[in-house]
Amino acid sequence: MYLENKSNLEMEMTQTSASGHQCRSSLRPPEAVAGNFGELRLLQGISENGDTQKLQQSAVLPSGQCVIHTEGFVPVRKEDRHNFSAVNFLRGKTNSANISERSPLLRFPQDESITYMTVHEPSFVGVDEPWDSSSLDIERRFRLGSEVASLTRSNSSDKSEALENLSLGFRLTSSVKCCLRVSKVATMFAIVVLCSLFFSMYPDRDNPWRMLAVSPSDSFSMNVTDFRDNALLKLQVAGPFAVGMIDLSTQEYILIQVEQTEEPGQRRRRTQQVIYNWTVPLHAERSDQRVVTKTFEMLSSDPITITVQAFLQDTEVVPLSMTHQSLWVTMETQVAIAGIILSGVYILIIFEIVHRTLAAMLGSLAALAALAVIGNRPSLVTVVEWIDYETLALLFGMMVLVAIFSETGFFDYCAVKAYQLSRGRVWPMIIILCLIAAILSAFLDNVTTMMLFTPVTIRLCEVLNLDPRHVLIAEVIFTNIGGAATAVGDPPNVIIVSNQGLRREGIDFASFTGYMFLGICLVLLTSFPFLRMLYWNKKLYNKESIEIVELKHEILVWRQTAQRINPASREETAVKCLLMQKVLTLENLLRKMMKTFQRQISQEDKNWEQNIQELQKKHRITDRVLLVKCVSVLAVVIFVFFLNSFVPSIHLDLGWIAILGALWLLVLADIQDFEIILHRVEWATLLFFAGLFVLMEAIAQLQLIDYIGEQTALLIKAVPEDQRLAIAIILVMWVSALASSLIDNIPFTATMIPVLINLSQDADVNLPVKPLIFALAMGACLGGNGTLIGASANVVCAGIAEQHGYGFSFMEFFKLGFPMMIMTCMIAMCYLLATHVGLGWNM
């Protein structure tokens, strides 16, 4: 039967099968077909009747062909029920001699153990020539078949015939890979079960807070008896405390004394006594309520006496709260456990054993199990409180804004304008993008900057046939560098400027921004030539033509779409199988294109003016009304971001501003299909950050960050006094950079600030605090470029790129980011030494 394809063609016909059933078919032209490739949607499944199958389907065929819609009962011949096999499906071949106009478009076998389908319509495959039956094709199709083999079990003998046709080498490779995968899953499952058992064996920490009040005339004393041998006493006190050490002769403070006396016994012949004195300064206005924590090493299980005294200039009463608990593991052991857990998480991420989100969740479980073993298991409420919801709210709100913004075509338009501004030259365009990203990140949050820039960069690279991965890595590196220039560009800088103790030392918004801005400008000037050196031997252009690159990307997207389907019914299983067949079809087309393609490495575009005209015709603003709404809301959000840093009367954090902006735009845009917007939210990235927050807080509870700070202070004290300032700047700078590339720089910065303040006010050390704080800021901000999880902007950029099919791995980022981190830290260190040691600034 021949059908002419016309725009106004619409036919309906009724077919009568041999069994008397009727089938109605309607054919209409392909209106608004989105792409050039076939798409099939299965609308209704199969009846349980053995001889007939009720099938309702619609198939959108390639451009220039008609749309077929069939509905009714279609007979299935008994001899056809056993002609289906996995190999036949994977080969994509059909016996055209047995196909008639009464044959169904899809044929289902009666064998319940097989749920694959054979596509009988050759036009859906989209390739005129039959599949090549070479061993390479069989191997490729068997690999593809293994991806959908997990849908149902098949005992068909045809599958064993396909295995016999494979080469011995492929069988060995598959066996080794299978063994490795099974070993990996078994090992990880055993570790997870073990951690779960440890976590469930110990109860939650239940340490009630004791309210007390002290004054110069009244002190507080208590005895602790429930203690074990060689245990640690963890003491937490809440009150109106100040930050850092102060002059005890002129200020007010609380003195906490911990005393233990071990009587003579079998181990000791004489009485041994240990006394710890802990001094906590009080805030002058008694307004800031802070919780301070300190751990003490005890001698034995003998009773412990805790005494709290107040040294004030008047006779007022200071209210306090205090709680204590005993830890059963020494501090060195806790630090070792924390180091092992952190190393395990990095191994999982570096070698891509599991997804980084799962790696963070597994690390969090291991850290919580370790806390339970040492007697410090937190409750569920405490673990939830460890999550930084402000950061998650900021990410979610900006993801919704960007998802709606992308519907306007604005990102494509910006990509063409960037190409026009660079006059067709790639490296000037990359430098312009990196410079704009660095400038914006100095005033906006780094995460916000990358969420706006990543879609623009991806579209720009697609229209220019560039590999987006290298360009995105360069952008995020310069985003982290630019964020260090101001007091509001990076979270560590915000923590430093908002510290009350540092404000009294003269480190305010203006002085901090002025010093950091000058240093970061020097770092940026040297970073661009070094970036060009790193990319010297890298081919930014794709080696294939843009048609081949787009076809490869489309194969990847089809494969990812098929893998995201979790079959819950036979219909969904059929759809997944069709998607995998589509992947095979496109791969066959790709092989044919590669055979005829003459590899030509693209050079700088000489006809850039003509290309710009063609790109401007193709990539335009698609919805101007929505664009005006999006730009208006985004401008208000960014403006409030600025005001939040300078106007204290605005009681909105960044997370609240982003959430409110997303609500405004959802109302203005009149979004009907809300699920489309939610599908574009990077839920895996949000879950990764939640797991990372729990992991880092648990690592801090295991004393790792405190241990790093204490060891840094000990190293500085061991240096001769005449070289102490230079060595202190170098140590703080590099310890901060390396630690921030491995762990979250926010808790590290918060922990190091009181350590450095105490170090500067120690009479034996005699160091100014400003050089140490500036070294901490430089190292914490620039160290985020060391690894993929060193900064939040890195993870956000990788998540968005992965959603577009251009995800980059930990090692791909490490090869470019770590050398850049080393170079920028070297420049920052020279700047610090020259200004503080050489010129004597801020002494």
Side-chain angles (χ1 to χ4, degrees):
M1 180 177 61
Y2 174 77
L3 295 177
E4 183 180 1
N5 183 21
K6 295 182 179 180
S7 59
N8 57 355
L9 176 64
E10 176 147 353
M11 298 178 57
E12 287 193 6
M13 60 183 177
T14 302
Q15 300 176 355
T16 304
S17 63
S19 59
H21 296 285
Q22 290 185 348
C23 175
R24 188 182 75 250
S25 300
S26 64
L27 297 98
R28 58 182 181 273
E31 299 176 358
V33 178
N36 295 324
F37 300 96
E39 173 190 321
L40 189 140
R41 298 185 300 274
L42 192 61
L43 303 179
Q44 186 173 346
I46 310 162
S47 68
E48 297 182 358
N49 189 344
D51 294 331
T52 60
Q53 298 172 339
K54 185 175 181 180
L55 183 65
Q56 181 181 358
Q57 75 172 46
S58 94
V60 182
L61 301 181
S63 175
Q65 301 179 13
C66 62
V67 177
I68 303 175
H69 177 81
T70 62
E71 180 180 2
F73 286 94
V74 184
V76 178
R77 294 176 299 178
K78 294 183 178 180
E79 58 269 17
D80 291 337
R81 297 176 188 171
H82 306 287
N83 290 338
F84 176 80
S85 66
V87 177
N88 290 334
F89 163 70
L90 297 175
R91 287 179 179 175
K93 285 187 175 183
T94 58
N95 188 1
S96 59
N98 296 329
I99 298 177
S100 64
E101 56 192 21
R102 295 187 177 184
S103 299
L105 181 63
L106 303 176
R107 180 175 298 170
F108 296 85
Q110 286 296 325
D111 187 1
E112 293 296 329
S113 64
I114 304 176
T115 58
Y116 301 114
M117 301 181 305
T118 303
V119 180
H120 289 298
E121 178 59 46
S123 60
F124 174 75
V125 178
V127 180
D128 296 333
E129 299 181 8
W131 291 92
D132 188 5
S133 59
S134 62
S135 61
L136 179 62
D137 289 339
I138 295 177
E139 176 180 338
R140 180 184 297 272
R141 291 163 197 159
F142 177 76
R143 290 177 182 175
L144 183 62
S146 64
E147 297 180 4
V148 296
S150 59
L151 302 176
T152 54
R153 297 180 179 178
S154 175
N155 298 321
S156 174
S157 60
D158 296 324
K159 190 170 183 179
S160 62
E161 294 177 1
L163 288 172
E164 293 175 358
N165 293 331
L166 298 177
S167 63
L168 180 62
F170 176 66
R171 272 194 258 178
L172 291 177
T173 304
S174 301
S175 301
V176 171
K177 290 182 178 180
C178 182
C179 292
L180 290 177
R181 185 174 66 252
V182 172
S183 302
K184 178 194 75 173
V185 173
T187 303
M188 294 180 60
F189 183 74
I191 294 175
V192 170
V193 171
L194 190 63
C195 292
S196 303
L197 290 176
F198 283 147
F199 186 74
S200 61
M201 289 171 60
Y202 300 92
D204 289 344
R205 180 184 62 202
D206 187 14
N207 301 310
W209 287 81
R210 175 173 296 194
M211 308 297 294
L212 57 111
V214 293
S215 65
S217 59
D218 295 329
S219 61
F220 173 81
S221 180
M222 64 176 293
N223 293 329
V224 180
T225 56
D226 52 341
F227 216 71
R228 297 187 179 185
D229 290 339
N230 299 324
L232 300 176
L233 174 65
K234 183 179 180 181
L235 197 61
Q236 289 181 293
V237 183
F241 301 132
V243 179
M245 293 184 61
I246 56 176
D247 188 2
L248 301 181
S249 62
T250 60
Q251 297 293 333
E252 301 173 331
Y253 60 94
I254 298 293
L255 177 62
I256 303 172
Q257 191 175 63
V258 179
E259 180 180 358
Q260 185 183 38
T261 302
E262 186 178 14
E263 300 296 335
Q266 297 180 354
R267 295 185 302 175
R268 301 184 185 275
R269 296 183 178 180
R270 63 178 67 179
T271 302
Q272 185 174 4
Q273 186 177 23
V274 57
I275 299 176
Y276 295 101
N277 291 325
W278 181 21
T279 303
V280 185
L282 290 171
H283 196 275
E285 299 178 357
R286 306 286 194 271
S287 58
D288 292 346
Q289 292 291 321
R290 297 180 62 250
V291 177
V292 293
T293 305
K294 194 173 181 63
T295 304
F296 306 94
E297 295 182 2
M298 296 291 102
L299 296 175
S300 62
S301 59
D302 292 340
I304 300 170
T305 302
I306 302 175
T307 304
V308 182
Q309 295 178 333
F311 293 85
L312 308 175
Q313 297 178 357
D314 50 24
T315 59
E316 64 177 330
V317 177
V318 179
L320 301 174
S321 301
M322 184 171 61
T323 183
H324 71 278
Q325 64 183 118
S326 59
L327 306 180
W328 306 330
V329 178
T330 62
M331 183 178 295
E332 290 76 10
T333 306
Q334 294 183 42
V335 171
I337 293 174
I340 293 173
I341 293 173
L342 200 59
S343 302
V345 172
Y346 268 88
I347 290 174
L348 294 178
I349 295 177
I350 290 174
F351 296 100
E352 298 182 353
I353 300 176
V354 296
H355 193 273
R356 57 178 176 269
T357 302
L358 181 58
M361 297 172 64
L362 294 177
S364 301
L365 175 61
L368 292 176
L371 289 176
V373 170
I374 69 174
N376 193 21
R377 170 180 161 170
S379 62
L380 180 60
V381 176
T382 304
V383 173
V384 172
E385 290 175 351
W386 288 351
I387 301 175
D388 188 356
Y389 289 101
E390 181 183 352
T391 301
L392 296 184
L394 173 64
L395 290 172
F396 177 78
M398 293 306 300
M399 285 177 182
V400 173
L401 287 173
V402 172
I404 301 176
F405 211 158
S406 62
E407 297 291 334
T408 64
F410 181 75
F411 295 143
D412 296 351
Y413 176 79
C414 290
V416 175
K417 287 300 180 182
Y419 180 49
Q420 183 179 5
L421 186 61
S422 63
R423 301 179 65 85
R425 292 174 295 178
V426 174
W427 268 105
M429 179 193 66
I430 294 177
I431 292 175
I432 291 173
L433 291 175
C434 293
L435 186 61
I436 295 176
I439 294 174
L440 285 180
S441 63
F443 302 98
L444 293 177
D445 186 80
N446 295 354
V447 173
T448 305
T449 303
M450 287 313 302
M451 295 185 98
L452 296 176
F453 261 73
T454 302
V456 176
T457 304
I458 290 176
R459 287 300 301 135
L460 177 60
C461 293
E462 286 177 346
V463 299
L464 298 182
N465 197 20
L466 295 174
D467 188 355
R469 297 172 180 85
H470 298 311
V471 183
L472 289 175
I473 293 175
E475 281 185 3
V476 76
I477 287 174
F478 278 87
T479 299
N480 293 327
I481 296 175
T486 63
V488 296
D490 222 3
N493 296 354
V494 177
I495 295 175
I496 291 174
V497 174
S498 60
N499 188 278
Q500 297 293 332
L502 295 178
R503 286 186 179 181
R504 288 194 294 267
E505 297 291 339
I507 301 178
D508 54 6
F509 186 93
S511 62
F512 183 86
T513 302
Y515 184 84
M516 294 292 292
F517 183 79
L518 183 60
I520 294 302
C521 287
L522 182 62
V523 171
L524 283 175
L525 290 177
T526 56
S527 297
F528 285 111
F530 188 75
L531 179 69
R532 188 67 180 91
M533 292 176 58
L534 288 177
Y535 281 65
W536 190 262
N537 293 323
K538 294 187 181 295
K539 302 300 182 182
L540 299 180
Y541 280 104
N542 292 309
K543 295 183 178 181
E544 295 87 5
S545 63
I546 190 170
E547 292 81 8
I548 294 179
V549 173
E550 290 180 352
L551 184 57
K552 286 184 176 180
H553 185 246
E554 185 152 3
I555 292 174
L556 177 62
V557 172
W558 277 90
R559 187 184 297 275
Q560 289 178 346
T561 304
Q563 292 173 350
R564 289 170 182 169
I565 297 179
N566 295 321
S569 62
R570 183 175 298 182
E571 292 82 0
E572 293 179 349
T573 301
V575 172
K576 183 165 186 175
C577 291
L578 286 175
L579 292 177
M580 301 308 292
Q581 170 109 11
K582 182 65 180 181
V583 174
L584 282 176
T585 304
L586 297 179
E587 287 181 345
N588 185 56
L589 179 61
L590 177 62
R591 286 195 299 271
K592 291 184 177 181
M593 294 179 64
M594 293 296 292
K595 289 179 181 178
T596 59
F597 174 69
Q598 300 294 331
R599 180 169 296 181
Q600 295 177 353
I601 300 178
S602 302
Q603 302 296 328
E604 290 187 351
D605 200 347
K606 304 301 181 182
N607 300 323
W608 63 274
E609 294 181 349
Q610 181 179 358
N611 288 339
I612 284 177
Q613 295 177 358
E614 296 177 357
L615 291 174
Q616 287 177 343
K617 296 178 181 179
K618 183 178 180 181
H619 302 284
R620 295 180 177 179
I621 302 297
T622 57
D623 194 337
R624 296 185 180 275
V625 176
L626 182 59
L627 176 63
V628 173
K629 298 177 181 178
C630 292
V631 170
S632 302
V633 173
L634 190 61
V636 172
V637 169
I638 294 176
F639 180 70
V640 180
F641 280 165
F642 281 110
L643 289 183
N644 181 69
S645 303
F646 302 101
V647 181
S649 60
I650 299 179
H651 303 289
L652 290 176
D653 295 328
L654 298 181
W656 275 115
I657 297 172
I659 291 293
L660 293 177
L663 291 176
W664 297 343
L665 189 55
L666 285 173
V667 173
L668 288 177
D670 193 19
I671 300 297
Q672 300 297 329
D673 195 349
F674 198 72
E675 292 184 357
I676 295 180
I677 303 299
L678 293 181
H679 281 315
R680 296 188 179 181
V681 174
E682 286 291 326
W683 298 108
T685 302
L686 296 177
L687 190 58
F688 170 77
F689 276 106
L692 190 64
F693 289 140
V694 175
L695 173 63
M696 291 307 164
E697 184 61 32
I699 292 296
Q701 294 287 331
L702 290 171
Q703 312 292 328
L704 177 61
I705 299 178
D706 292 334
Y707 179 80
I708 294 174
E710 293 176 0
Q711 294 302 314
T712 304
L714 290 177
L715 288 175
I716 294 175
K717 291 181 180 180
V719 177
E721 187 174 356
D722 56 342
Q723 303 174 359
R724 188 167 293 168
L725 179 59
I727 298 300
I729 291 175
I730 295 173
L731 276 177
V732 173
M733 174 78 190
W734 286 104
V735 169
S736 303
L738 294 176
S740 297
S741 64
L742 298 176
I743 60 179
D744 192 3
N745 55 11
I746 296 177
F748 178 79
T749 303
T751 304
M752 286 296 293
I753 287 176
V755 172
L756 297 180
I757 292 177
N758 295 340
L759 187 65
S760 65
Q761 296 180 349
D762 192 344
D764 297 332
V765 177
N766 192 21
L767 284 177
V769 67
K770 287 186 177 180
L772 302 181
I773 295 299
F774 286 132
L776 173 65
M778 288 283 190
C781 294
L782 298 179
N785 286 327
T787 62
L788 180 61
I789 64 175
S792 302
N794 306 354
V795 181
V796 170
C797 180
I800 298 176
E802 185 177 1
Q803 190 182 38
H804 286 78
Y806 299 104
F808 46 86
S809 64
F810 183 96
M811 293 305 298
E812 288 176 335
F813 185 90
F814 182 81
K815 291 177 182 178
L816 297 172
F818 193 79
M820 184 65 73
M821 186 267 287
I822 297 295
M823 193 279 303
T824 54
C825 288
M826 289 288 294
I827 301 299
M829 182 188 67
C830 294
Y831 172 71
L832 290 168
L833 293 176
T835 54
H836 294 296
V837 179
L839 300 178
W841 289 6
N842 300 323
M843 297 297 293

